[in-house]
Amino acid sequence: MSFSLHEPEGGEASGYGSWAPKAVSDINVTPFVDVMLVLLIVFMVTAPMLAAGVKVDLPKASGVAAMSPTKEPLVVSIKADGSLYIGQDARSGEAFDADIRARLAADPKVMAHIRADASVPYEKVLDLMADLSRNGVSQLAFIGKADKAAAQP
């Protein structure tokens, strides 16, 4: 808040002496704009990091319509080296099974989305499907890249 001094009318002395502060009611939006720009930068930097899953080279598929799940799916990824991830967390063996069972306890009808690197052998993908099925997952979907050349007439 800033003040400006003015002389009372008629030259009379007021309770503040001959000069009294007068409030200026201008709004300074500069700090507000600074805060908004900082928040914008923070969200621009963190948004790409929040993308679901681990970086894998997905295989291309043509003629398949994209799905939009109604609930949050269980995303399971297999990297080229064979390592398994649930979301962005690396899991293997008993920890993988326990995590799947815990997520199924929260939502028994959860759909599992499998994201496998294009170089992963089919046998490993089949083993993953068997593990998910053994742990109670009944709905599976595969995630892939759309083949743009095949999609165009």
Side-chain angles (χ1 to χ4, degrees):
M1 180 185 288
S2 61
F3 294 96
S4 64
L5 300 177
H6 74 283
E7 188 174 345
E9 293 182 19
E12 300 174 3
S14 65
Y16 294 105
S18 59
W19 296 95
K22 177 183 174 186
V24 177
S25 60
D26 293 334
I27 297 174
N28 188 359
V29 296
T30 304
F32 176 73
V33 171
D34 289 346
V35 169
M36 290 297 112
L37 288 174
V38 167
L39 287 174
L40 177 68
I41 291 170
V42 167
F43 285 121
M44 287 173 56
V45 168
T46 59
M49 293 181 219
L50 299 177
V54 183
K55 176 113 174 100
V56 293
D57 181 25
L58 295 173
K60 293 182 180 155
S62 61
V64 179
M67 283 180 33
S68 58
T70 56
K71 293 189 259 181
E72 185 69 25
L74 171 65
V75 179
V76 181
S77 303
I78 307 176
K79 289 182 84 172
D81 61 1
S83 57
L84 290 174
Y85 290 82
I86 297 177
Q88 293 184 340
D89 303 322
R91 296 284 187 262
S92 63
E94 193 58 38
F96 177 80
D97 293 340
D99 201 2
I100 294 295
R101 284 191 295 262
R103 292 183 191 227
L104 282 172
D107 183 10
K109 296 192 186 241
V110 69
M111 178 182 277
H113 286 188
I114 298 175
R115 299 177 73 239
D117 195 279
S119 63
V120 171
Y122 183 68
E123 182 181 6
K124 289 191 184 241
V125 176
L126 210 54
D127 289 342
L128 172 63
M129 290 173 58
D131 286 346
L132 291 171
S133 180
R134 186 178 56 248
N135 285 306
V137 175
S138 61
Q139 298 180 15
L140 296 173
F142 290 94
I143 307 295
K145 286 191 273 187
D147 189 8
K148 294 179 184 175
Q152 297 174 353

